[in-house]
Amino acid sequence: MKKLAAILLALVLVLCSVSALAFEPVDKKDLKVGFIYIGGAEDKGFTYAHHEGTKAMMAKLGLDESQVFWRENVSEDSACADAIDELIEQGCQIIFGNSFGYQEYFKEAAEEHPEVIFSHCSGYMCNDTNFNNYWGAIYQARYLSGIVAGLKTKANLIGYVGSMNNPEVNGGLNAFALGVKSVNPDAKIYVKYTGTWYDVTLEKQTAEALLDLGCDVLGQHCDTSMPMVAAEERGAYGIGYNAVISEGEPGYKAWMTAPVWDWSAVLVSEVQSVIDGTWKPENVFFGLKEGLVSLAPLTDAAPAGAQELIDAATAKMVSGEWDVFTGPITDNQGNVVIAEGETVHYNANFGSEMTWLLDNIEAR
């Protein structure tokens, strides 16, 4: 009997624990959602793409503008902590942050405010109560864009403006380089890192330095369209990131396509789960199949024959028949990093081992 009582007591404690971790449903009219952005909502870059997803989420769920709060141009330091405090004071039940360097501040805030849900874009930190992260297989779209770049270059020199020298950036760069190699094994990629996610002036200067090295096509993993502007001014071509550049806008004449995001694919489900009381601290990682990432439509500047190759590669990735990091793959130090027949599914854990660069990449 004592043993049965002990078992029942343990079961009660478990159930209480589970209940304590659950979030109650929130009446939609009482819902408040917060966003912290690394850039400006109209930067035509990463934050712009995120904000477009925010607006789509609002429209889809029927949220009023008075229910959604955002803080723009928040640096990856104590300013993030201040922004979190402000949004909590506003009564936000869930707070999103869109930059890698926010994760430490989100982790601390999640521990201090268990009643609030924290959802962080990229990074690898999370907990099992009120803090998750979300990201996507942008490397799949970057591979497709590499096909365009590899077919377009005449000099066989492609420049790449990287932001941080870390696994997130290098994973996308390697995927881009694999796309280039699939159609042009003679092309070389020069990468220069800015050391910052968002710097209008530095991004353009870095692009210009790559053009000075003889690159006639540029790719990028940085938050603004300034590399495309630099390419246009030099009569070169480029692969953008995050947003479509429309005809007449700076950089359009150089712009051929871009890996882009539809963040509403994540934001709608996350916010709806808060309304329903079904939110769980589960990390989200979507790709081409789920519609979180895609390649923007090609412009007239894109090379002939690119679309057919893009369609074929997309079909294989969406079906699961094949993925980008399938061996054999050799790094630029001569090491076989992925063996023949092996596939590495790059995921949301950016603390991963993607520290190498492909054998057609040279850091400058």
Side-chain angles (χ1 to χ4, degrees), residues 145-340:
S145 72
I147 292 173
V148 180
L151 290 175
K152 186 67 176 181
T153 180
K154 303 299 182 190
N156 281 341
L157 282 179
I158 299 169
Y160 197 91
V161 181
S163 46
M164 302 293 186
N165 184 357
N166 69 12
E168 177 184 331
V169 175
N170 290 336
L173 169 57
N174 284 328
F176 175 80
L178 285 165
V180 169
K181 178 180 276 196
S182 73
V183 296
N184 186 351
D186 296 325
K188 189 81 174 177
I189 298 163
Y190 290 162
V191 58
K192 281 182 175 289
Y193 301 100
T194 64
T196 176
W197 294 109
Y198 178 86
D199 188 313
V200 175
T201 301
L202 189 55
E203 289 171 24
K204 187 178 182 186
Q205 290 174 342
T206 304
E208 290 169 340
L210 288 165
L211 293 166
D212 288 342
L213 291 173
C215 299
D216 60 351
V217 174
L218 296 180
Q220 65 175 85
H221 186 150
C222 54
D223 284 357
T224 80
S225 59
M226 293 312 292
M228 299 301 100
V229 174
E232 181 179 71
E233 291 175 355
R234 298 286 191 91
Y237 295 93
I239 305 294
Y241 180 38
N242 298 306
V244 171
I245 299 179
S246 302
E247 187 170 0
E249 292 183 330
Y252 175 76
K253 292 179 181 178
W255 189 78
M256 297 185 290
T257 186
V260 293
W261 301 90
D262 179 0
W263 291 109
S264 68
V266 171
L267 300 179
V268 169
S269 61
E270 287 286 285
V271 175
Q272 184 65 57
S273 70
V274 176
I275 296 171
D276 297 338
T278 58
W279 187 90
K280 295 179 181 178
E282 298 173 343
N283 297 335
V284 179
F285 190 78
F286 292 159
L288 289 171
K289 182 179 180 179
E290 295 83 6
L292 177 58
V293 305
S294 64
L295 189 69
L298 303 183
T299 69
D300 292 341
Q307 190 64 59
E308 291 79 5
L309 295 173
I310 288 167
D311 292 343
T314 299
K316 289 196 296 182
M317 285 187 275
V318 170
S319 70
E321 174 189 347
W322 174 87
D323 205 11
V324 172
F325 294 107
T326 298
I329 295 177
T330 304
D331 69 13
N332 60 9
Q333 303 300 310
N335 304 306
V336 176
V337 289
I338 300 179
E340 184 171 2

